[in-house]
Amino acid sequence: MDTKEKFENLRDRYTADLSDQVTDIQKYWQILINNPGDQETIQNLLNICHGLAGTGASFGYTLLSEHTREIEHFLRPVSEKNTNIDIDKMYEVAELIELLDDDCKQAARS
């Protein structure tokens, strides 16, 4: 198997796992909506988003990468300051999370 085939196989496995990761983001987001100061949930969201932001771009999923990076951008200060996420940021993050569904579907079609 050559390098291109290995990369394609790796990309296929990554793409197949995307919907589970987006589901996890949605699950943690629902928890955070009910408890905006839950630092463990914020950290879980940050970890998933950070990973997707980096790997998404590597596999050519630039929108997925950008959206998760933006979510990370909103949540990082909340985590570092150990505060609640404010309502305006919650709306912006919610919109980005909705876009992840589309990003995931687009990745599956590619």
Side-chain angles (χ1 to χ4, degrees), residues 1 4 9 13 16 52 58 64 66 70 72 75 83 110:
M1 183 180 301
K4 183 178 178 180
N9 286 339
R13 286 190 305 243
L52 287 176
S58 298
L64 173 79
E66 289 172 15
E70 287 182 59
E72 185 180 7
L75 295 178
T83 60
S110 63

Side-chain angles (χ1 to χ4, degrees), residues 74-103:
F74 283 116
L75 295 178
R76 180 76 53 207
V78 174
S79 174
E80 290 172 355
K81 294 176 184 173
N82 197 23
T83 60
N84 291 4
I85 186 168
D86 69 50
I87 193 73
D88 292 332
K89 288 184 176 127
M90 287 186 88
Y91 284 118
E92 292 184 55
V93 171
E95 289 176 9
L96 290 165
I97 289 173
E98 285 183 32
L99 293 173
L100 293 179
D101 269 334
D102 294 334
D103 297 340

Side-chain angles (χ1 to χ4, degrees), residues 2-3 7 9 18 26 31 34 39 43-45 82 87 97 99:
D2 67 11
T3 304
F7 179 79
N9 286 339
L18 276 179
Q26 293 166 334
I31 293 169
N34 294 318
Q39 291 298 312
Q43 194 57 52
N44 288 334
L45 277 167
N82 197 23
I87 193 73
I97 289 173
L99 293 173

